[in-house]
Amino acid sequence: MPAFDLVAALDATVRHARGSALYRERLAGVEIRSPGDLARLPLTTRADLQAAGPHGTRAVPLTAVCHYGESSGTTGATNSVWLTAGDFARDAETLRARHPEMFAPGQILLNRFPFMAAPAHLVQLVAQQGGGVAIPAGNINWDVPFPRALALARTTGATVLAGLPIEPIVLGEIARAQGLDVRRDTKLRTLFLGGSPLPPAMQRRLARVWDARVIELYGSTETMLLGTSCAEGTLHLEPELAYCEILAEASTERAASGAVGRLVVTTLAVEGSPLVRLDTGDLVRSLGACACGDARPAIVVLGRAADAVELGGRRLFPAELVDAAAAAADAVDSSVFFVVVLSDRVLVRIERQASGGDPAAAFAARLPGVPHEIELVEPQMLLDVELLARSPHVYKPVVLADWRRAGRRVLTVSEGMIEWPRPSWAEGKRWLRRTWRTAMRRRRLAREIGVAAPARRLV
């Protein structure tokens, strides 16, 4: 295999990107003869992507495209991306090469990534290429609610859980409510997680609760795969898939080694919607050599710059807050917590599972000097397992019901598609109690900070 030529790859990306409306004029006549040439090009912002419109980033004919996707829009308007079969194939090949023990024949992959997102399709493709057996069970899918996903894992003997970091937490709580031990009653021994912060305390907690290896997946809808974590838990970038620059927060200069900076990405392996110097909005910190011996760049992702919090004269990143909260929850043997940033402190609400332990000390050990309050609440106050366990039944749509036969007596198209659960009196009473207590806590906090609590409907 020929050696990877970074300059040639950068030049090819620039030339290819000129096929899109977004870059047709701004990259006209540009040639890349060194990485320095790239550094002189303007940054691409998310506002640029939004202004380009749904087809503005597409650099190939529709006949070459196999997938359309959109970003989740958590920070505003959505961005569109068009991908070719080759775009998926390159990422799938990289995943199999990096994690052959996870993506191997005979492994059963419970694929809980939402199917509007590219990772769900990558897992399916890896399986089709011989990397295991995929169960397409996207978590934004009424046909496979959380309880059924847990049941599928158990009945099929699934060995890998792929999804968002919240997935093993929710499935673990459902298993606990059913009297199950996920270590004993499932074969899930690899958690392949991405899409939101996965800091060290959370990784260690999940690894212990599930007796599993946790692998972090990093990328975005716009850039596709950027990296995964190694056996040491360090996130490594993929230099042959994307050229990554870490720029100072307040300038376009390179950030100092080990300093926090903005991640700027030029895709090298995306044909459908190539991007040149995209300012991702992610703040990262570069790391030194990893104990695993891998020479690929290693980073820590701290979260979006827009999501950083100023508290007590200190800047806190989302990943740091989640890490400290996860450590506090772990001190009382819990995986379920919720963080509220107030004007004078960080409130960490935790579902207590065991007595003993000092959650406040665990939080302070991660973020010394940060004012905080730990609020321990009863189980299911933050994560309503009963409600999740009563997800609606979803059927193949019907427009005919024969009442002469046994079964459901359907009268409408809606009834034929979805059957909503009917809670018992006891379940309804518990739900009302939780809702009322949460509303009162919200009202007390609102009064404390001097704002009116928003009205909340009970249905």
Side-chain angles (χ1 to χ4, degrees):
M1 179 179 295
F4 176 67
D5 187 334
L6 173 60
V7 172
L10 290 172
D11 189 55
T13 291
V14 167
R15 286 187 285 104
H16 187 61
R18 285 198 290 265
S20 71
L22 173 62
Y23 291 115
R24 188 168 296 128
E25 293 184 3
R26 71 164 68 186
L27 296 182
V30 172
E31 294 184 354
I32 303 298
R33 294 294 174 258
S34 72
D37 293 336
L38 184 78
R40 286 187 284 272
L41 297 179
L43 298 179
T44 300
T45 67
R46 290 184 179 273
D48 292 331
L49 302 184
Q50 292 157 15
H55 286 269
T57 63
R58 180 168 56 81
V60 297
L62 283 175
T63 53
V65 173
C66 74
H67 176 87
Y68 170 79
E70 291 184 345
S71 64
S72 61
T74 54
T75 58
T78 57
N79 299 323
S80 300
V81 63
W82 305 82
L83 300 172
T84 68
D87 295 336
F88 280 104
R90 283 181 284 276
D91 282 8
E93 181 181 356
T94 299
L95 287 178
R96 287 194 67 188
R98 296 300 182 195
H99 305 285
E101 74 292 344
M102 177 173 67
F103 296 118
Q107 296 278 32
I108 300 179
L109 318 170
L110 182 62
N111 188 2
R112 291 285 282 170
F113 280 114
F115 268 72
M116 189 64 179
H121 301 275
L122 277 177
V123 173
Q124 297 297 121
L125 180 58
V126 169
Q128 292 167 16
Q129 294 177 343
V133 180
I135 304 175
N139 72 342
I140 306 179
N141 180 353
W142 277 354
D143 198 36
V144 192
F146 287 100
R148 188 178 181 203
L150 179 62
L152 278 171
R154 297 185 66 210
T155 57
T156 62
T159 53
V160 177
L161 171 62
L164 304 172
I166 193 68
E167 192 71 29
I169 293 176
V170 176
L171 293 183
E173 292 302 304
I174 290 176
R176 184 200 299 265
Q178 295 178 0
L180 302 175
D181 183 336
V182 292
R183 290 168 294 188
R184 180 192 65 226
D185 298 314
T186 78
K187 295 183 180 179
L188 293 169
R189 293 298 174 266
T190 302
L191 307 180
F192 186 57
L193 308 175
S196 63
L198 188 61
M202 183 180 288
Q203 290 192 39
R204 287 192 289 270
R205 169 78 185 178
L206 292 175
R208 188 173 70 253
V209 168
W210 287 83
D211 187 23
R213 180 186 170 190
V214 178
I215 298 175
E216 182 177 8
L217 169 68
Y218 180 53
S220 71
T221 298
E222 298 87 358
T223 63
M224 293 290 282
L225 177 64
L226 291 178
T228 56
S229 60
C230 66
E232 297 292 327
T234 303
L235 179 62
H236 291 271
L237 297 174
E238 291 291 348
E240 295 191 18
L241 296 182
Y243 178 70
C244 295
E245 305 168 73
I246 302 178
L247 303 186
E249 293 187 65
S251 74
T252 57
E253 299 297 320
R254 286 270 185 167
S257 179
V260 174
R262 297 173 293 152
L263 186 70
V264 172
V265 172
T266 297
T267 58
L268 303 178
V270 176
E271 294 176 318
S273 292
L275 296 171
V276 177
R277 303 200 80 202
L278 173 68
D279 188 341
T280 64
D282 285 350
L283 293 178
V284 304
R285 182 185 292 115
S286 62
L287 302 175
C290 179
C292 74
D294 195 323
R296 290 176 298 153
I299 63 169
V300 172
V301 181
L302 299 170
R304 291 286 172 87
D307 296 331
V309 173
E310 297 287 345
L311 186 63
R314 180 172 174 180
R315 191 181 191 197
L316 303 172
F317 300 107
E320 293 175 315
L321 290 168
V322 173
D323 184 48
D330 191 38
V332 288
D333 195 27
S334 177
S335 301
V336 183
F337 59 87
F338 193 82
V339 180
V340 183
V341 179
L342 300 171
S343 59
D344 62 341
R345 67 192 187 282
V346 175
L347 170 63
V348 182
R349 310 188 76 209
I350 301 171
E351 285 191 4
R352 182 203 293 269
Q353 297 293 346
S355 58
D358 189 342
F363 184 97
R366 292 295 195 288
L367 293 176
V370 173
H372 60 278
E373 175 189 353
I374 304 295
E375 180 183 356
L376 301 177
V377 301
E378 63 189 55
Q380 299 199 46
M381 275 296 297
L382 304 181
L383 180 61
D384 191 340
V385 174
E386 290 179 353
L387 183 63
L388 292 175
R390 295 186 63 82
S391 300
H393 292 288
V394 180
Y395 304 94
K396 182 183 295 185
V398 297
V399 294
L400 183 152
D402 188 347
W403 282 34
R404 297 170 301 175
R405 300 181 180 181
R408 299 168 61 236
R409 294 187 171 182
V410 177
L411 280 175
T412 70
V413 173
S414 296
E415 287 180 348
M417 296 173 63
I418 302 172
E419 182 182 12
W420 294 98
R422 296 175 174 83
S424 66
W425 168 251
E427 289 171 330
K429 185 177 179 181
R430 286 193 293 269
W431 177 80
L432 283 171
R433 178 171 173 268
R434 284 194 296 267
T435 303
W436 175 257
R437 292 182 63 179
T438 299
M440 291 300 98
R441 184 63 170 131
R442 181 180 293 109
R443 187 175 299 276
R444 289 194 299 272
L445 283 174
R447 283 201 301 265
E448 178 184 320
I449 64 176
V451 299
R456 300 285 176 173
R457 296 187 302 171
L458 295 182
V459 294

